[in-house]
Structures are given as structure tokens and as C-alpha cells.
Amino acid sequence: MLSAISYDSGIISSVITFPAFKGFVNNPGNYDSLSGAVVSTFTGGCFFGAAGAGWVNDKFGRRLTVQLGALIALWGCAMQSGANNFACMLIGRIVAGFAIGILSMTVPLYNTEIAPAKHRGFVVGLTQQMIGIGFIVANWVGYGCQFLQGNKQWRLPLGLQLAPAFLLLVGAQFMPRSPRWLLEQGRDNEARAVVRKLHGSSPEQQEAADLEFAEMRETIAAEKVVRSRSLSDLWATRGMLRRTLVAVGVQVFGQFSGINVINYFGPSMYRALGLSAGQSLLVQGIYGAVGPITNFFFITLILDTVGRKKPLMFGAGSFIVTYSVLTAIVACFPPDQSTNLAAQRAGIAMIFMTSIFFSLSFGPVSWVLASEVFPTRTRSIGTSVATCANWAFNVLFSQVSNLAINNISWRYYLVFICLNAIDFVIIAFFFPETKGKSLEQMAEVFGDEIDAHDVLDTGAKEKLEHHEPDVEKS
């Protein structure tokens, strides 16, 4: 699912460097601004898609929302690849971005709700893994398409976006529904069947499934008593406000890593280090493979062991170092005045190290933490708000980064040094550790004033304990 998201996001970094695309835009004097608009209109669409996805998820469920996102993506991608003028291209980018906003919010939400607590870091961390794979494909497709002639140089890579969107539309039909969403709809039998299917068929696994289902059902039944579905629920209590700030914070801090500046404008950054256009695309292709490899080993072997907080602190501290070195290299060896190959290699190494450190920290952890901290009654809307914050800063950086790299060079990297220093302090003092906690146990972590279980009076609890699941609804 996430490969479709990241291919759409990643292919544009190559497309905006193609001579044929520059000819299509046909405004050389203002190309830096227009190429930034191509990127930022997409991310702006993502913001609004993520904003509306919370309501759609609560109303129609996670699976149908994924399919809706895939359908809209097909529309937007077709507009881009078949655009006959620049305005049509921008509209296609907005529509496709709207779809990706829906998916970027729904996929980690869905994965969070179907994953067992002890493996949730790995399962939700696969979000970043698939994003990385999509970027790999996008980078190498972009590298290969530079050798084509005419408008097919950019129409072909944009048209290939249709393939993952179509596969997602069809494949989503075979995914199980979220058991927590089913319980909210009163479809208890279906929810129990999904939980049992996810756990396995052995007697021990079925027993564990029934225990998890019982806790899940009791908690959700209690939460429904106090549910209002209002945006103000996200800051109604001290515990909820802390959840919201953590979820929004981790998504925004992920943007402060500058990783999407590299993903979108990597070739521009490499050219600023003195590489040719062809060399920049080649290095970007190699760069794209580094993060996913690192991410795979991290989510497989480390994330569910060390938790969430320590990797985030490690990431913020590491970015301070890599951007400091990169700033010093570009400042001391300006690419238009120096041909120092060692400096070029060191600068590229810092960009690669940033990708590695991102994959060991904010890459997987931001998706896990932002979706796991909320109770069921606000998980959709809370994840939606956090994802909107992510895309809002993505819009900001995608609009200004190309202009900043070309106009103020190394001074732009000072912004990321300062931002990550602030991130480190906030994470160290205010972020909790959520490793190994079930979604129903997050109330203890965040010190909620009223535990959802306490909402049920004694009679309601007794009724719930003897409650037989409702007849399956169609």
C-alpha cells in the first residue's frame, strides 16, 4: 500500500530535472518556483486528504477508505501523465496528493489496529519500509527515463503511478477489516473472527485471541459511553492533550529531519555539491536503497526491543551532526569555486548518513507512535490531525527548499541544525515510552484522569461480562 504513496512522492524528484519537462513547463526564468509548485501542490493535496480521512474511516471503515484513496489516485495519476498543459499537471498533482493524504493516514491506522502489542512496532514500521521501496523504484525509474527522448521522458514515469494504485484498489478487497472498527459498529461476531484469524489456529493462539477480544470489547464499549467525535476531544483532558501533542510532535519532527528535502530535491542538492545532472540522478538512485535496508533491520531486530523514545533522541542528535558537517563542507568548498572531490564525497556521505539515521529513528517510529497513542474513540481523528501536521510542514519545505538551496546554499542547512536541537530536548523531557503496551493500556501511560473502564458502572460491567456478541451484520 505504502509503495504507491512513496512512488508518487519520489518520482517527481527526477521528473523536475528532465529537459523535456522543463520544455513542457516552458518558463525557464521562473522554473525553480514552478518546480517547487509541482511538489508543493501535491503535498498540499495530501494535507486535505489526510484531514478528511478521519471522518471517512469512522463512517465507512479502514478497508473502504483505502480503496477510495486508490480510486482517487488513479484519477490524479492519469491527469498527470496525460496533461496537455501545466495547469492540468498541477490539478492532477493536487488530486493525486489528496489520495495519498487519505492513504498516508489510513494505512498506519489500520496496521496499528490489527497488530498485536509485542509486534506492533514491526508491523507499523513496515509503513516506512514500503515507503522506502517505493522511493527505490521511483529513483531508478527516473534514472532510466532520463535517456528517453521527448515528452515520454516524463509521461512514462508519471504514468507508471497507475500500476500500484490499481493493485491497491483490487488487493484491498482481500484485507480483513479492523476488529476495533467492527466492534464500534456493533459487529461483534465479525470482530471476534478477525481477531482469531490474526492470532492463528492453535488452541493457545485461539485462547490468546479470545482474551484480547474480551479486553478490546470491554474497553470500546466503555469508550462509546463518553464518545462525542468532536475535534475538541483531542485536548479535552490533560492526558488527551499530551497524546495529541506527542502524535503531532513526532510527525512534525520527522519533517524537521529534512529527509523529504533530500527525497524531493536530492538531485539539486548533489548538483550543489558539484555533480553533473546524470551523476546526481545516479547517486539519488543509490541513496534510495540505503534507507529501506537499514529500516528493515531496525524494525525486525531493534524497534520492539528498545522502544520508541531512545531511537527518536538518537535520530535528532544524529541529524545535528550530519547537517553540521554538510554545512561546513558546502561553506568551505563552494561547488562553483572548488573541485575538491574529497569534499564532494564527504557531503554525499553526510546525506547518505542522514537517510540511515532517519531509518533508525523517525522513519518507522513516527508512524508507530502517532497512531498508537490515541484511544479507539479518537484514534481516527487523532491520527488524521497528526498526519495533517506532517503534510503541512511537508508543503512548507517542498515549496521553499529548491529556492533556498539555489539561493542561500549552506545557510539553509542551519535551519535543520537548530530544529533538531529543539526536537532532542522536547523528546527527552516530554515524550513517554509506549513499547509493549496494548492500545487499551495507553490510558496508564498518559495518566488519563478517567480510565475508560471506570465509565462502566457495576451493572453495565456485569451485563458486558454476560453479553453474547451481536448477530453478524451485513
Side-chain angles (χ1 to χ4, degrees):
M1 289 188 283
L2 272 297
S3 294
I5 295 176
S6 54
Y7 181 88
D8 285 10
S9 301
I11 194 60
I12 202 64
S13 66
S14 299
V15 166
I16 60 177
T17 68
F18 291 158
F21 188 75
K22 293 179 181 179
F24 170 75
V25 175
N26 196 26
N27 194 336
N30 202 29
Y31 186 73
D32 283 344
S33 178
L34 293 176
S35 62
V38 171
V39 177
S40 61
T41 50
F42 177 84
T43 51
C46 292
F47 174 87
F48 290 104
W55 180 84
V56 179
N57 270 284
D58 280 339
K59 182 70 175 178
F60 301 106
R62 307 348 178 189
R63 189 172 72 185
L64 281 176
T65 305
V66 167
Q67 291 180 302
L68 174 64
L71 187 63
I72 297 174
L74 286 171
W75 174 23
C77 295
M79 288 188 68
Q80 292 176 65
S81 60
N84 57 4
N85 56 58
F86 189 64
C88 183
M89 168 64 68
L90 290 182
I91 294 172
R93 293 291 292 170
I94 294 171
V95 172
F98 188 86
I100 297 309
I102 293 173
L103 294 173
S104 67
M105 175 263 165
T106 305
V107 172
L109 170 66
Y110 172 80
N111 288 344
T112 295
E113 293 189 339
I114 66 169
K118 64 179 180 179
H119 298 307
R120 191 166 60 245
F122 170 75
V123 173
V124 185
L126 286 172
T127 298
Q128 187 61 34
Q129 186 66 28
M130 295 300 103
I131 288 175
I133 290 174
F135 271 112
I136 290 176
V137 175
N139 289 336
W140 285 107
V141 167
Y143 177 73
C145 286
Q146 70 174 313
F147 301 107
L148 298 176
Q149 301 298 318
N151 283 338
K152 62 185 177 182
Q153 188 181 59
W154 60 269
R155 290 192 189 275
L156 176 60
L158 291 178
L160 289 176
Q161 298 175 100
L162 295 165
F166 177 76
L167 291 174
L168 177 57
L169 177 64
V170 175
Q173 187 60 36
F174 300 97
M175 301 189 313
R177 291 186 181 275
S178 164
R180 290 174 169 86
W181 181 80
L182 288 170
L183 280 170
E184 285 192 301
Q185 309 307 307
R187 298 161 67 169
D188 294 26
N189 278 349
E190 290 179 76
R192 185 196 294 272
V194 170
V195 173
R196 287 188 167 188
K197 182 178 180 180
L198 293 172
H199 274 75
S201 57
S202 70
E204 295 81 7
Q205 292 170 327
Q206 292 290 287
E207 182 179 356
D210 288 340
L211 289 173
E212 181 180 349
F213 174 78
E215 180 184 15
M216 195 184 300
R217 185 179 62 176
E218 179 180 338
T219 301
I220 291 173
E223 290 176 349
K224 287 172 71 173
V225 176
V226 296
R227 187 174 197 140
S228 71
R229 292 188 184 275
S230 171
L231 188 64
S232 62
D233 285 350
L234 297 180
W235 56 83
T237 66
R238 184 176 180 179
M240 280 303 305
L241 177 61
R242 189 183 180 201
R243 294 174 192 255
T244 303
L245 292 176
V246 167
V248 170
V250 75
Q251 289 284 328
V252 172
F253 294 167
Q255 289 297 321
F256 289 173
S257 71
I259 193 67
N260 279 327
V261 175
I262 301 173
N263 290 336
Y264 294 146
F265 302 110
S268 298
M269 296 177 71
Y270 298 130
R271 287 200 302 277
L273 287 167
L275 275 65
S276 68
Q279 289 173 327
S280 298
L281 288 176
L282 177 60
V283 172
Q284 181 78 349
I286 299 171
Y287 158 86
V290 172
I293 294 172
T294 306
N295 184 83
F296 178 77
F297 286 104
F298 177 66
I299 64 175
T300 304
L301 304 174
I302 301 175
L303 178 55
D304 282 312
T305 301
V306 301
R308 322 309 192 216
K309 185 171 180 175
K310 290 179 181 177
L312 292 176
M313 293 175 63
F314 169 78
S318 300
F319 299 144
I320 296 172
V321 175
T322 57
Y323 280 110
S324 296
V325 175
L326 184 61
T327 301
I329 291 171
V330 180
C332 295
F333 303 97
D336 56 345
Q337 301 174 23
S338 173
T339 57
N340 189 312
L341 294 179
Q344 287 182 6
R345 296 190 187 103
I348 293 170
M350 288 304 101
I351 294 175
F352 274 56
M353 292 302 295
T354 299
S355 176
I356 292 173
F357 293 144
F358 182 79
S359 298
L360 293 172
S361 57
F362 288 92
V365 176
S366 62
W367 297 111
V368 177
L369 193 60
S371 56
E372 72 181 359
V373 298
F374 293 105
T376 302
R377 70 179 185 273
T378 57
R379 188 169 298 121
S380 289
I381 192 171
T383 306
S384 176
V385 168
T387 308
C388 282
N390 181 318
W391 286 114
F393 280 87
N394 199 323
V395 171
L396 172 64
F397 288 128
S398 63
Q399 182 63 41
V400 306
S401 292
N402 211 24
L403 292 170
I405 291 169
N406 291 330
N407 289 293
I408 63 174
S409 186
W410 60 269
R411 295 173 183 82
Y412 183 53
Y413 304 134
L414 295 175
V415 173
F416 297 102
I417 297 173
C418 296
L419 290 176
N420 282 287
I422 296 170
D423 297 352
F424 183 90
V425 174
I426 293 175
I427 293 167
F429 287 99
F430 299 106
F431 274 42
E433 181 55 70
T434 59
K435 177 189 70 172
K437 298 290 186 180
S438 72
L439 298 181
E440 286 68 40
Q441 292 171 335
M442 290 298 169
E444 303 169 14
V445 175
F446 288 91
D448 288 353
E449 288 83 349
I450 301 176
D451 191 312
H453 294 74
D454 295 336
V455 176
L456 293 175
D457 59 26
T458 304
K461 285 185 178 179
E462 291 178 356
K463 180 179 178 181
L464 186 63
E465 289 171 359
H466 296 89
H467 171 69
E468 291 297 327
D470 297 339
V471 177
E472 237 177 73
K473 299 180 181 178
S474 57

